[in-house]
Amino acid sequence: GESVGLHLPTLSVQEGDNSIINCAYSNSASDYFIWYKQESGKGPQFIIDIRSNMDKRQGQRVTVLLNKTVKHLSLQIAATQPGDSAVYFCAENIIPSNAGKSTFGDGTTLTVKP
Amino acid sequence: SQTIHQWPATLVQPVGSPLSLECTVEGTSNPNLYWYRQAAGRGLQLLFYSVGIGQISSEVPQNLSASRPQDRQFILSSKKLLLSDSGFYLCAWSARATNEKLFFGSGTQLSVL
């Protein structure tokens, strides 16, 4: 079956460095991808999304890259801050037919060292 | 602006007891509503979703049920809890028109003992 998975379960970076979190997906029909950030004991929060007709999308300090050829998604965080420490999930979906039923990966834990 | 409320934040229940978790959404109409469960250190598993009042779809067979008595109210229930029902339960909504990103509540940590 389809799955969304992350290459590494944990990532540790120095404050001020850039972070890159990777994600692989297997459903070639997926056309919408989302990154969420989950802080301890809280619900996930939307960070950024990208549709399959795009390769790159930028937000505030974050960039998502999509490589449909190899079914790979990445989240880049510039100048990582201690407040960025959290678990990051990628999710994939088919819009609108899947009624928002995103498939989530297991998450990457990002730790920012001061 | 839209907000989602989920309660209680934590719950400790004995095996065999009933369960009722409630979720309400404000500031939007006709949302899609979802219940997810998250095991410790893992991703999110979709349990139920609803596209309208009284319309519930179950994604996995289990000891739980869901109901949507009002447009912006979603309830997760069980008649008799099992140990395996322990976990972090999250309610979420998405806009019906776009079916895109999810907005999550703050979650309920359920411990069945």
Side-chain angles (χ1 to χ4, degrees):
Chain A
E2 289 75 28
S3 65
V4 178
L6 293 162
H7 292 315
L8 295 173
T10 62
L11 177 65
S12 182
V13 300
Q14 288 291 139
E15 181 178 358
D17 287 352
N18 296 333
S19 302
I20 299 176
I21 301 172
N22 296 303
C23 178
Y25 66 95
S26 58
N27 186 355
S28 58
S30 294
D31 59 6
Y32 178 63
F33 305 87
I34 319 105
W35 281 100
Y36 294 91
K37 172 186 179 183
Q38 185 177 27
E39 298 177 347
S40 181
K42 298 183 179 179
Q45 291 181 299
F46 168 83
I47 301 174
I48 193 168
D49 57 0
I50 189 168
R51 295 184 180 275
S52 59
N53 61 352
M54 302 172 68
D55 297 322
K56 179 179 179 180
R57 191 172 188 205
Q58 289 183 295
Q60 186 177 9
R61 283 201 305 118
V62 294
T63 300
V64 55
L65 299 177
L66 175 63
N67 185 330
K68 295 179 288 294
T69 302
V70 295
K71 300 191 188 74
H72 182 268
L73 190 70
S74 69
L75 177 71
Q76 300 178 1
I77 305 173
T80 313
Q81 303 169 359
D84 295 327
S85 294
V87 179
Y88 290 81
F89 293 97
C90 64
E92 54 92 10
N93 207 339
I94 302 171
I95 301 297
S97 60
N98 262 14
K101 295 184 290 177
S102 296
T103 299
F104 285 80
D106 285 343
T108 291
T109 300
L110 175 65
T111 302
V112 182
K113 297 179 289 185
Chain B
S1 63
Q2 301 89 359
T3 57
I4 180 169
H5 303 280
Q6 184 181 345
W7 68 93
T10 60
L11 190 60
V12 180
Q13 291 285 101
V15 170
S17 63
L19 173 73
S20 181
L21 302 181
E22 188 163 345
C23 172
T24 59
V25 180
E26 296 178 358
T28 187
S29 297
N30 304 314
N32 288 336
L33 296 173
Y34 310 83
W35 279 110
Y36 281 86
R37 178 168 59 200
Q38 185 176 28
R42 299 301 300 271
L44 284 75
Q45 178 188 36
L46 179 62
L47 301 177
F48 301 95
Y49 75 95
S50 171
V51 297
I53 295 174
Q55 301 179 60
I56 309 295
S57 294
S58 174
E59 290 296 295
V60 293
Q62 59 204 309
N63 184 42
L64 303 168
S65 62
S67 61
R68 185 171 178 173
Q70 300 180 43
D71 180 50
R72 290 170 289 177
Q73 183 185 27
F74 206 23
I75 298 171
L76 183 69
S77 304
S78 174
K79 293 182 179 178
K80 290 185 178 182
L81 284 169
L82 305 173
L83 288 173
S84 58
D85 292 324
S86 294
F88 191 50
Y89 289 83
L90 289 154
C91 181
W93 73 272
S94 67
R96 177 81 57 83
T98 59
N99 286 331
E100 295 179 347
K101 51 185 168 285
L102 297 168
F103 298 93
F104 287 88
S106 53
T108 296
Q109 184 64 54
L110 172 65
S111 298
V112 183
L113 304 177

